[in-house]
Each structure stands twice: as C-alpha cells, then as structure tokens.
Amino acid sequence: MLYNIFIDPFVQMVQMPDLLVQTLWEGLVSGVLYALIALGFVLIFKASGVFNFAQGIMVVFSALTLVGFYAKFSSWGFSGHAAAFLALLLAAGVMLVLAMLVERVVLRPLVTQPDIILFMATFGITYVLIGFGEIVFGGDPKQMIANELFLPSGSVDIEMLGGLVSLQKIDIAAAVIASLMIVGLALFFQKTRIGRALRAVADSHKAALSVGISLNQIWVIVWFAAGLVALVTGIMWGARSDVSFALEIVALKALPVLVLGGFTSVPGAIVGGLIIGVGEKLGEFYWGPLLGGGIESWLAYVIALVFLLYRPQGLFGDKIIERI
Amino acid sequence: MSGPKDAVGETMGETLLAVDGVSLGFGGVKAITDVSFDIRKGEIRAIIGPNGAGKTSMLNVINGFYHPQQGRITYKGQTRSRMRPYQAASQGIARTFQNVALFRGMSTLDNIMVGRTLRMHRGLFWQMLRFGPAMREEIDHRRHVEDIIDFLQIEAIRKTPVGKLPYGLQKRVELGRALAMEPELLLLDEPMAGMNMEEKEDMCRYILDLNRHFGTTIALIEHDIGVVMDLSDRVVVLEYGHKIADGTPEEVKADPKVIDAYLGVGH
C-alpha cells in the first residue's frame, strides 16, 4: 500500500515522461481557467471586502449573452466575424449595465451593513441572474461561437520524450489570453491612480472618502472589471465544452484557489489556480486509481483545507496584523 | 497670534467656512443643536468640549460624512444644505480621524500617494504603460509626496506597511496623506490623542509650520487644553451639542459657562 502511494506514482512519472508532460499541461490549462475565475472574485473582494458568490453565474450569464446576441444577429441574416465581435461588444456593454445596476440597487443601499449581509446579497444576485438568464436564453446548453471569434480549434501534436504530447489549440489560446489579461490587471492595480484607489477603498472606506475617492464609481469599475473577466472566462470554458448553467459549479472551484492564493492577491489567484489545476490532474492520474478514481472533484478542497491549517492568509494574502 | 476682539474678519482674512444653524440627530439622539460658527482664512480654529459634545460630528458635517437635518454650510462663498465627501475633498477640505484611518496594507509612500488621487488626471492606459505624460505626472506627484515625507521626517518608514507602525507615526502618516491633497482647510480630529510629550511637541510644530509657512487654515479638535490654548487663534466650545462659547483662548478661558462645563471646579 505504502509502495503504491509513495513510490509507484513517481516511478511511473519517470518511466513515461510524455504522459507526465501531457498531464501537467492539462493541469496547467484548467489551472489558468480556475485562475481567471478566481481573479474575478479577487477583484471584488479587494475593493469591497465582499465575497461575490455571483461570480460563477456571471461567467455563465455573460457567455449566454454573447451567444444569445450572435444567435439573434444570425437570425437576421447577419453572421460571421463582424457579427461575433459586435455581439462581444454588446455582451461587454451588458456587463457594464449589470455593474451599474448592482451598484445602484444592491450595494448603495447596503453600504453601511456588515460584510455578511453584502455576501448574502450576492446570493440574491446569483438567483436573479439564473432566473433572468433562463427566461431570456432558455435552459439548454449552447454552442460557443469560437470559430467566429477567431479562436483556433484542433490540436498540435508534439513528438517528445519518446511519446506524443497533444496540445489543444484552444487551450494554448486560453493560456495566452488569460496571461495577457492577468498582466493587464496587475498593471492596472499596481500602477494606476484607480488601481491605488481600489486598494485604498478595500482598506478603509471612510479614509478613501476623505481623500475624494468616490465609492460608487469604484464599485462600478470593479464589478465591470469582474464582469469582463467573467466574459473571457465564459468564452474559454464555453469553447472547451459548451455554455450551460452547469458551468456555475465549476466556478466554485475558485474557492480552494482563493484559499490557497489569498483572497486579496492577484498573483495569488494565478499561482493558486495553477497549483490546484496541476494538483488535481496529477492526483487524478497517478493516485486516483488507488481510490477508485474520481478524486479530481474533491482533491482541490483537501489541498485548501491543509493550507488553511498552516497558512490561513494564503500564499500571497495580506498578512493579518492586529494590534491589541 | 490671537485675533483682535472686535475687528471681525479684518486681520484674519475673510471667512473660509461658515456653518449656520446646523442641527444633526440620529433617530431620537440629538448630536448637534443649532450650532453656528465660522472659520476664517489662515487661522487655527479649535473645537473643544467634553466627551460626546458633538465635536467629531461637527467635522463629519463639514466634510460631508454626515448630512445635517437643518442648517447651512457656506464654503468659499458657496452655500449648501449639505456637503458631499467628494465635493469637500475636491474643493480642498482634507481631514484626519480620531482613530487613525489609514490604508493598512499599503506602504507609507502609497498611503500618501493616495492623497494625490484627485490631482492625477492622465488616462488609465498611459498610467498602465508608465509612459510619456503619465510618467511625468507620476514623477511630479512623487516629488510632491517626497517633500511631505521630508517635512514630517518620516523618510525612514517610507516603504513600511503602515499597519506595522507605532500609533504616533501612524498619526503622522495620516497627516501626510491629508497634506498630499494640498488642502485649504485641514480638519484634525484629536491629532495628539494617545501621544507622548515629545510626539505632541512634534505635532504642534508641524501644525504651526503648516499654518504659518503654507497658510493652511486648520480646524482641530483636541482634549489637551494647554495645547489648544497655545495653538489656536479662536476656540469654539460645544457641550451636549450646543455651542456655549466662542472667542479667543483668553475669552473662552474666562467664560464662566466654559469653566463650569469643561474646565471643572478647580478653576
């Protein structure tokens, strides 16, 4: 038994490096997507201290909006790349409207309430979006318009290490786009006036107000940014499988990612996402058979639990300094 | 320093801010009742009074955190029934807080930089690329912030996260952040609370320097009566939300109502 746990998997890794590379790659790709979802959570948590439960449904909703607009356009005989990008633009617009609505209808009236109440309010947003989405777009899964958005399909096979490693082109595209997005957000947070203002709001509302930062404006900005991240995530996930409400469950994988990376850290979300993604795939492939398989769905939470015991603020989270 | 008794507004300069008949309540609790006073350009104005007299509420009304039910606020000749925090900040009112409110996760430098928020105008895109005009703007602001850091003698803690600093230094950083706004009116809520003698003296020096060399108008709340009498040009005294006295430190000190309410039997 001990041999099976501690020795055998590593022997396999060394003996068949091509399989290991393939597994690592798949782990990294799903890790990048987890990181993207987690990023949406981090944005809102940083600026308002609210854990936005609705982030998962925002992914689904934005993707459905995109596909829905495109379907409408093609029913008018307007299809192809131009229509797809117009739909993309409109979907982004819808996320902006959503951000403004959330700020006006949910956040502003609740501004002085404890965090837990705002958290519960995001549950409300979740169910409103689910209901609204089902009314408008219907409940059945949709096809993502990947080709129309110039996303590649098919795979690249690379011969290496005595085997064949197969990389899906869409995965490569996802990794590249996610990396660009992450770099953009990191610059935005670290280097710009609004980024600094966002961090300020996260730390102290009244101090931020006193230097003339408008909370309402900041909230719209972060919810919009989180909406855009959701849209990109939705496109990528949608292109790999299809667009349906089931994606929302996948979005909950962001939780262990956040525990690992720290709720307030953009790099944390990325590294956390990658660790969870790779850990999951490696675990499933090498250790899964010992337990009869299927450990991929819960391994992430176990990793997160272990982390909570030893480093509750996460890898990159803000150190909690409390003066007594 | 102390202003003349009769020639109102002549030597001190014109009125910068006036509150007129302001009343503020929370539910059934009256925090401020019909209080009027003014702050003249270039003076140091103290607001004193026992605990719960409504001093902090008054500052919150002035910078727009609280909206009074009655009364008017005239700032720079513009009369409003209420201020908004953004208006107050963009028109040059800066403040510090009784229980330091800093951005704890950020360094001293970043905290003070946040004070420049309203003065930065370049587009987001340029800021992200740190290029061209945005870079120049950032450098200009950094220079200004470094001057403040020099002035407050906090060079050594420039990069330290403020959450780690001792209380006295936190108060100094907070003052720095307010100064970064280049305020015309600086509201200080107990700037010396919880400080030792030496820190208090430093803080007094900064306040006087600001007032004399940079002409900043200052309104401050303070409990240390000695400090108040030394620093301020005029003093307004609140008790249970009412104004009971207003005048030079000498006048206020001699006022029997103030002696009863505030200074106690010993006087």
Side-chain angles (χ1 to χ4, degrees), chain A residues 35-36 39-40 42-43 46 177-199 225 229 264-270, chain B residues 110 124-125 127-130:
Chain A
L36 265 184
L39 212 56
V42 167
L43 277 174
K46 261 179 104 90
I177 292 175
S179 315
L180 286 178
M181 190 127 194
I182 286 161
V183 170
L185 282 171
L187 284 176
F188 174 67
F189 260 109
Q190 297 301 326
K191 305 292 183 200
T192 68
R193 160 180 58 106
I194 294 188
R196 205 149 32 207
L198 284 173
R199 286 187 288 150
V229 172
T264 50
S265 163
V266 170
I270 299 156
Chain B
D110 272 348
L124 263 187
F125 183 67
Q127 288 183 20
M128 277 166 75
L129 293 181
R130 316 215 96 187

Side-chain angles (χ1 to χ4, degrees), chain A:
Chain A
M1 186 67 199
L2 284 176
Y3 173 80
N4 280 338
I5 295 175
F6 292 107
I7 314 280
D8 188 45
F10 297 104
V11 174
Q12 282 186 40
M13 283 181 203
V14 176
Q15 279 172 349
M16 286 175 285
D18 52 329
L19 271 181
L20 176 64
V21 171
Q22 182 78 44
T23 316
L24 281 176
W25 167 250
E26 276 169 21
L28 283 176
V29 171
S30 52
V32 167
L33 290 170
Y34 290 153
L36 265 184
I37 301 176
L39 212 56
F41 282 100
V42 167
L43 277 174
I44 290 180
F45 192 83
K46 261 179 104 90
S48 51
V50 177
F51 183 83
N52 175 25
F53 190 77
Q55 186 67 30
I57 194 66
M58 276 162 70
V59 171
V60 181
F61 187 77
S62 58
L64 281 175
T65 313
L66 171 63
V67 176
F69 273 124
Y70 185 74
K72 201 87 210 149
F73 290 154
S74 27
S75 76
W76 296 336
F78 173 41
S79 59
H81 298 307
F85 279 93
L86 183 61
L88 185 64
L89 214 62
L90 286 176
V94 168
M95 295 323 278
L96 177 60
V97 172
L98 179 69
M100 287 174 0
L101 276 177
V102 165
E103 188 276 320
R104 188 72 199 85
V105 180
V106 181
L107 297 177
R108 205 184 290 182
L110 294 178
V111 58
T112 49
Q113 303 298 322
D115 291 344
I116 185 73
I117 293 189
L118 284 162
F119 174 57
M120 290 313 291
T122 67
F123 271 84
I125 298 172
T126 307
Y127 289 105
V128 168
L129 283 180
I130 291 178
F132 187 68
E134 279 184 353
I135 291 171
V136 179
F137 306 109
D140 29 282
K142 308 267 189 307
Q143 197 78 43
M144 177 45 72
I145 46 169
N147 287 327
E148 289 81 351
L149 288 171
F150 291 117
L151 291 174
S153 55
S155 62
V156 188
D157 296 328
I158 302 170
E159 203 145 349
M160 59 188 287
L161 306 163
L164 205 61
V165 178
S166 156
L167 313 179
Q168 297 292 318
K169 280 185 188 159
I170 181 72
D171 291 346
I172 300 174
V176 170
I177 292 175
S179 315
L180 286 178
M181 190 127 194
I182 286 161
V183 170
L185 282 171
L187 284 176
F188 174 67
F189 260 109
Q190 297 301 326
K191 305 292 183 200
T192 68
R193 160 180 58 106
I194 294 188
R196 205 149 32 207
L198 284 173
R199 286 187 288 150
V201 169
D203 268 359
S204 166
H205 285 186
K206 65 175 178 178
L209 278 173
S210 82
V211 294
I213 295 168
S214 156
L215 287 187
N216 304 334
Q217 197 193 344
I218 291 294
W219 279 333
V220 171
I221 291 171
V222 281
W223 278 76
F224 180 47
L228 288 184
V229 172
L231 180 58
V232 172
T233 320
I235 294 171
M236 293 307 165
W237 272 113
R240 302 179 87 213
S241 49
D242 49 15
V243 186
S244 74
F245 284 93
L247 272 184
E248 202 213 340
I249 308 297
V250 181
L252 279 185
K253 275 280 167 61
L255 247 169
V257 172
L258 291 170
V259 168
L260 205 67
F263 278 80
T264 50
S265 163
V266 170
I270 299 156
V271 177
L274 295 180
I275 292 178
I276 294 284
V278 171
E280 242 178 33
K281 285 284 188 284
L282 285 180
E284 173 72 34
F285 194 76
Y286 290 103
W287 285 274
L290 296 176
L291 293 162
I295 70 172
E296 193 178 349
S297 52
W298 51 261
L299 187 65
Y301 298 95
V302 175
I303 298 175
L305 202 64
V306 172
F307 244 80
L308 272 181
L309 290 176
Y310 294 102
R311 207 178 152 80
Q313 75 269 37
L315 280 174
F316 299 90
D318 293 338
K319 258 248 168 65
I320 304 150
I321 308 160
E322 206 66 71
R323 279 177 178 277
I324 315 173

Side-chain angles (χ1 to χ4, degrees), chain B residues 91-106:
Chain B
Q91 295 194 43
I93 301 181
R95 70 169 292 176
T96 65
F97 295 88
Q98 191 172 353
N99 309 306
V100 190
L102 283 169
F103 309 121
R104 301 173 60 87
M106 296 193 215

